[in-house]
């Protein structure tokens, strides 16, 4: 299977490579933020918009989910990538009917995601009819009727798939899942299926709740912060300020990552003198450059050492009181890791014993420890066992339910956690579903629906015929690009609720609709007056978000308005859910949320508090683990997985450039890694380049190899035309950007238990590119 790159992205002759940076942010971060803002918005609009970003009376960043501080906030409570996200949403560029009249769909399909995103905001609904060559304008009423007709024509509601991106507000997410379940299906895949689903699965099993147990205040109270499989300098830049504050209070920081990312090493805070004129703050006291997929072995080894030291000096390492009164499974776990295979640890991690022992000592000596992680841990076949091993170490030391300690999965998109809280999940628990039925007088299905991977399979196999996405860029986010694109093209109808153009709009079903929505930055005036929405950050804080800009077009509807309009067309005015009332007054939605969603009582009152409110979390708040099978935290014994790569092959991870957020490409400058003007690059260790007979800058093809246990064959996928870039990655490990490398991730290669695509551990071979003439 060969993935053909967009025509204008095959060979990037202007590739410019310099040495990777050893620090993040500083004056360049400020300069880039302002430059991108002025280019997209103009100077006055940039100043007026950024001052409201992440402020109490402003709007929540449409980028990452890092929390805002409780109490005092800085004048500039945003990062470089947050400023880029706002610039793209608040841009003055427009994509109107004349754009679609000028550009046929065949031409747009040859454009890159970067080019598509740079065209600006979509101004009115458009439809691509069967056999048509261009999108054309369509009224909202006609669009809603077209969708409703297609849905009603299905032989079963399960032939429809309803996807959600993390940018969707709590109010829109709650109504969306209510509409979908009222229609009769639980097919509610979301972006979390592709990122932190593994975290939720592991934490729900071990602590009883699939969310982190840490607050922002805990970060600054910790003695030890361990950051694993995460690049905060690019993906969560405001986290660097919290880490800097923690360092100032005496914390030690350990970074565990295959790449020496600048944001893990040193931070030049542009809001203080040391960051502007000095060297900034060294963050990582220890950097463990681990091999891809070796984190489970590392934490098993740490657990083994902690138990060995406890045996040598009983009562000095293991928190026996906590273990005895609040956990189960300890003896089985302890027996399992006492027999650790150190040779397997050596192979899996690529680390020295001295490095591992040094970090284990830090765990043993710390009284307040936090472990943070992101997708570097969640996108392997053994991701769930890996995160369970982290939980084991934290439980050993009693590092949960006390200040400055806990488990901290750092979520990506700004409201991905809130969407799940509001019911965007294909297998919501009975308590939630019963509450929905009781509150609204509707009947909702109990059968579990499709997650993202299952949804792609269903569309591929003709079992799903309508695809509707609220936000996101499904084609570029999903694995196995060729399979995903073919699946969408086989649908009778594809619908995307979006602000800007992306790849998913040009990979369409027989009929396709683009429904443009208002953004976070824009005012939302309805019959009930000016509205606000709410979001939940990565640490379970729920708060308001209110846009201030005039909408990009008078034809735009809010996400809530689009969902309510579709529901009215689908169900009619006599449906027991008052959709029209909800569209006019979001307080009415929040009243219903307060009676359905656990932890959201008095929702309207609490979200109007200056800093919102924190959702309850029993392990964090009371050291109670009521969500587990016996109301105790659970130790687990996990078989150690060591990724074995055949000779002449490498293990590839996909990752973001510093100039992108998720699938949104802001530019072509991965500044911290020193890679400019190109995205089709593969980062290889210099010794691997030599051993494989390759050369710096050589044009190569990447070929993934995946053994299909069902068929007994090895599947291959080819991504052509990548430039080789020497980079300080561990021997045998490689890296390339997504979405360009997503085509290499087989649809069936997923994490055990969570079904998350294994985008961080892909076996590849690298071949010299052969130019062909078509």
């Amino acid at each position: 299977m060969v993935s053909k790159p967009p025509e204008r992205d095959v060979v990037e002759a202007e590739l410019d490579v310099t040495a990777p940076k050893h620090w993040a942010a500083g004056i360049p971060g400020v300069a880039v933020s302002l430059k991108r803002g002025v280019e997209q918005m103009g100077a006055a609009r940039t100043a007026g918009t950024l001052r409201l970003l992440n402020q109490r009376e402003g709007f929540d960043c449409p980028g990452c989910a890092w929390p805002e501080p409780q109490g005092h906030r800085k004048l500039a409570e945003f990062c470089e990538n947050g400023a880029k996200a706002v610039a793209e949403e608040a841009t003055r560029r427009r994509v109107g009917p004349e754009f679609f009249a000028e550009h046929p769909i065949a031409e747009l399909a040859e454009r890159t995601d970067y080019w598509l995103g740079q065209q600006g905001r979509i101004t009115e609904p458009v439809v691509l009819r069967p056999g048509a060559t261009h999108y054309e304008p369509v009224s909202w009423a006609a669009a809603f009727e077209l969708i409703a007709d297609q849905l009603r024509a299905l032989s079963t509601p399960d032939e429809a798939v309803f996807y959600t991106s993390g940018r969707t507000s709590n109010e829109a997410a709650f109504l969306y899942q209510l509409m979908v379940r009222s229609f009769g299906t639980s097919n509610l895949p979301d972006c979390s299926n592709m990122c932190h689903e593994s975290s939720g699965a592991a934490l729900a099993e071990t602590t009883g709740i699939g969310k982190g147990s840490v607050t922002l205040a805990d970060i600054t109270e910790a003695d030890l912060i361990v950051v694993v499989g995460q690049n905060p300098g690019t993906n969560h830049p405001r986290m660097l300020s919290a880490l800097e504050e923690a360092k100032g209070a005496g914390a030690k920081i350990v970074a565990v990552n295959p790449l020496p990312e600048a944001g893990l090493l040193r931070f030049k805070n542009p809001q203080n003198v040391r960051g502007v004129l000095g060297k900034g703050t060294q963050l990582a006291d220890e950097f463990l450059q681990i091999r891809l997929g070796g984190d489970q072995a590392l934490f098993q080894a740490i657990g083994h050492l902690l138990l060995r030291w406890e045996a040598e000096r009983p009562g000095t390492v293991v928190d026996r009181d906590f273990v005895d009164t609040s956990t189960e499974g300890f003896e089985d776990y302890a027996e399992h890791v006492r027999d650790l295979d150190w040779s397997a640890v050596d192979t899996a991690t690529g680390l020295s014993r001295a490095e591992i022992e040094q970090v284990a000592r830090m765990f043993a000596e710390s009284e307040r420890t936090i472990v943070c992680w992101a997708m570097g841990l969640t996108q392997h076949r053994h991701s769930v066992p890996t995160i369970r091993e982290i939980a084991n170490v934290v439980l050993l030391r009693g590092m949960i339910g006390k200040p400055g300690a806990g488990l901290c999965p750092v979520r990506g998109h700004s409201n991905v956690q809130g969407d799940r809280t509001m019911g965007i999940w294909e297998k919501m628990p009975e308590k939630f579903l019963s509450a929905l039925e009781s509150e609204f007088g509707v009947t909702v299905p109990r059968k579990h629906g499709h997650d993202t991977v299952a949804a792609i399979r269903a569309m591929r196999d003709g079992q799903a015929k309508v695809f509707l996405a609220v936000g996101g860029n499904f084609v570029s986010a999903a694995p196995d690009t060729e399979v995903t694109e073919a699946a969408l093209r086989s649908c009778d109808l594809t619908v995307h609720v979006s602000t800007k153009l992306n790849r998913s709009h040009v990979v369409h079903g027989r009929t396709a609709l683009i429904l443009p929505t208002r953004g976070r930055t824009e005012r939302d005036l309805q019959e009930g007056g000016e509205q606000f929405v709410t979001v939940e950050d990565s640490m379970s804080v729920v708060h308001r978000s209110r846009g201030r800009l005039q909408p990009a077009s008078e034809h735009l509807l809010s996400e809530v308005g689009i969902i309510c309009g579709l529901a009215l067309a689908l169900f009619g005015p006599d449906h027991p859910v008052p959709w029209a009332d909800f569209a006019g007054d979001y307080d009415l939605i929040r009243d219903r949320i307060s009676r359905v969603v656990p932890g959201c009582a008095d929702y309207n009152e609490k979200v109007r508090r200056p800093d919102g409110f924190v959702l309850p979390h029993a392990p964090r708040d009371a050291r109670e683990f009521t969500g587990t099978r016996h109301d105790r935290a659970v130790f687990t014994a996990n078989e150690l997985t060591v990724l074995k790569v055949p000779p002449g092959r490498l293990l590839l991870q996909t990752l973001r450039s510093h100039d992108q957020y998720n699938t949104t490409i802001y530019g072509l400058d991965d500044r911290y890694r020193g890679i400019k003007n190109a995205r089709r690059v593969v980062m290889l260790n210099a010794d691997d380049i030599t051993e494989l007979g390759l050369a710096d800058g050589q044009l190569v093809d990447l070929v993934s190899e995946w053994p299909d246990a069902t068929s007994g064959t090895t599947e291959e996928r080819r991504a052509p035309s990548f430039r080789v870039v020497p980079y300080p990655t561990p021997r045998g490990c490689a890296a390339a950007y997504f979405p360009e490398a997503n085509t290499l991730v087989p649809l069936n290669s997923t994490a055990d238990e969570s079904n998350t695509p294994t985008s961080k551990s892909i076996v590849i071979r690298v071949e010299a590119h052969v130019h062909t003439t078509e």
Side-chain angles (χ1 to χ4, degrees), residues 2 37 39 124 262 273 353 378 477 494 576 581 661 678 717-718 753:
V2 180
E39 287 174 349
E124 60 185 273
V273 174
R353 303 282 177 89
T378 65
T494 51
D581 294 341
Y661 194 80
R717 286 153 177 79
R718 181 179 296 268
E753 299 184 53

Side-chain angles (χ1 to χ4, degrees), residues 92-114:
R92 293 189 179 278
R93 300 171 186 171
R94 298 291 182 263
V95 173
E98 66 287 346
F99 175 92
F100 290 108
E102 180 182 348
H103 299 283
I105 192 70
E107 177 203 327
L108 295 176
E110 291 297 318
R111 297 289 188 173
T112 65
D113 257 316
Y114 173 55

Side-chain angles (χ1 to χ4, degrees), residues 206-209 322 326-327 395 400-401 617-620 622-634:
T206 57
T207 69
I209 182 170
F322 173 75
S326 300
T327 75
L395 295 177
I400 192 168
H617 188 291
R620 178 197 65 212
R623 275 197 165 183
E624 295 177 352
F625 303 93
T626 53
T628 62
R629 57 192 176 220
H630 298 129
D631 295 340
R632 285 172 170 257
V634 179

Side-chain angles (χ1 to χ4, degrees), residues 422-490:
M422 292 295 125
I424 300 293
W425 195 25
E426 71 277 2
K427 46 187 177 183
M428 287 298 288
E430 175 60 30
K431 182 178 180 180
F432 182 94
L433 301 177
S434 296
L436 267 186
E437 291 184 331
S438 176
E439 179 65 28
F440 291 103
V442 296
T443 300
V444 302
R446 266 56 178 184
K447 175 186 173 184
H448 290 175
H450 296 318
D451 64 9
T452 294
V453 168
I456 296 169
R457 290 193 188 115
M459 291 185 286
R460 176 198 65 190
D461 298 340
Q463 297 170 1
K465 301 175 181 178
V466 172
F467 176 84
L468 196 157
V470 177
N473 180 359
F474 186 80
V475 166
S476 294
D480 218 340
T481 307
E482 293 295 300
V483 172
T484 297
E485 291 191 352
L488 284 170
R489 288 190 171 108
S490 72

Side-chain angles (χ1 to χ4, degrees), residues 56-89:
R56 289 188 182 88
E57 296 305 318
F59 57 90
D60 192 64
C61 180
C64 82
W66 188 255
E68 285 73 56
Q70 303 286 295
H72 174 72
R73 298 189 185 179
K74 301 181 181 71
L75 179 63
E77 197 62 61
F78 59 88
C79 68
E80 175 187 340
N81 273 356
K84 291 175 183 175
V86 169
E88 297 246 333
E89 182 177 294

Side-chain angles (χ1 to χ4, degrees), residues 215 217-218 221-222 367-370 399-406 620:
T215 68
D218 287 326
E221 295 183 42
E367 295 299 319
R368 298 181 298 274
T369 300
I370 291 171
M399 296 297 169
I400 192 168
K402 63 189 243 184
R620 178 197 65 212

Side-chain angles (χ1 to χ4, degrees), residues 2 159 169 196 199 218 311 369 374 377 393 400 480 562-563 570 636 667 694 732:
V2 180
E159 289 185 337
S169 70
H196 270 287
S199 299
D218 287 326
T369 300
L377 260 62
V393 170
I400 192 168
D480 218 340
I562 292 171
I563 293 164
L570 182 61
T636 55
L694 304 172

Side-chain angles (χ1 to χ4, degrees), residues 19-43:
K21 300 290 186 185
H22 296 288
W23 52 269
I27 292 298
V30 177
V32 171
S33 299
L34 294 176
K35 179 176 182 292
R36 298 292 177 83
V38 171
E39 287 174 349
Q40 295 268 8
M41 299 185 285

